[in-house]
Amino acid sequence: MKYNITIRLHQDWLDTVREIFRGSGHPLPEELSDHEVTVAYYSQTASSDEEAEQQSIANTERLKEIEQTIVANFESIILPDIRSRTGYAGDEFTFRWIYQQGEHIIEEYSEYRIPL
């Protein structure tokens, strides 16, 4: 069976970071690249530009690995768990990264949640 799966965890994370900066009264310039946004976020707490750069790269890789894990395990592990826990029977799945008292991946249609 064919499923329509949308996953954009890194973009969700970037959108959240932009919102955090906007909410702080110091919005990031819209023309910043995704990488520049990530480095700007980590520069808030990193002890050096190099550390911010390393944290940026590590976070991007981490989110891409999570996306790959979801895709690789979707039919064998995640889909059966979604079906049994939520009763969702559809074929449309949108996985999103959110921060709500910690990091989570949610599937929007079923409201399935994966804490990170």
Side-chain angles (χ1 to χ4, degrees):
M1 177 166 239
K2 183 77 173 155
Y3 301 101
N4 186 5
I5 301 171
T6 303
I7 305 175
R8 43 174 251 146
L9 305 182
H10 189 248
Q11 189 60 52
D12 294 334
W13 185 89
L14 288 166
D15 292 347
T16 300
V17 167
R18 285 186 181 280
E19 186 59 36
I20 289 168
F21 275 94
R22 203 172 5 264
S24 74
H26 302 286
L28 295 171
E30 289 299 318
E31 65 274 4
L32 286 185
S33 70
D34 292 350
H35 179 72
E36 290 169 325
V37 168
T38 306
V39 170
Y41 174 78
Y42 285 111
S43 292
Q44 301 297 305
T45 57
S47 59
S48 67
D49 290 345
E50 293 79 23
E51 182 182 343
E53 179 73 25
Q54 290 171 349
Q55 290 174 328
S56 168
I57 292 167
N59 186 60
T60 300
E61 289 174 0
R62 178 182 71 95
L63 292 170
K64 288 181 182 186
E65 285 175 17
I66 293 169
E67 288 183 7
Q68 292 169 352
T69 300
I70 290 171
V71 170
N73 295 291
F74 181 74
E75 286 191 58
S76 63
I77 297 171
I78 296 171
L79 179 61
D81 200 39
I82 288 174
R83 299 274 195 240
S84 70
R85 288 179 188 251
T86 70
Y88 177 67
D91 297 332
E92 190 94 14
F93 299 90
T94 298
F95 291 91
R96 306 276 314 235
W97 179 95
I98 64 166
Y99 190 90
Q100 190 173 54
Q101 297 178 338
E103 288 183 281
H104 299 269
I105 306 302
I106 59 162
E107 194 292 308
E108 289 186 344
Y109 294 97
S110 66
E111 298 181 11
Y112 181 75
R113 182 179 295 256
I114 305 166
L116 297 180

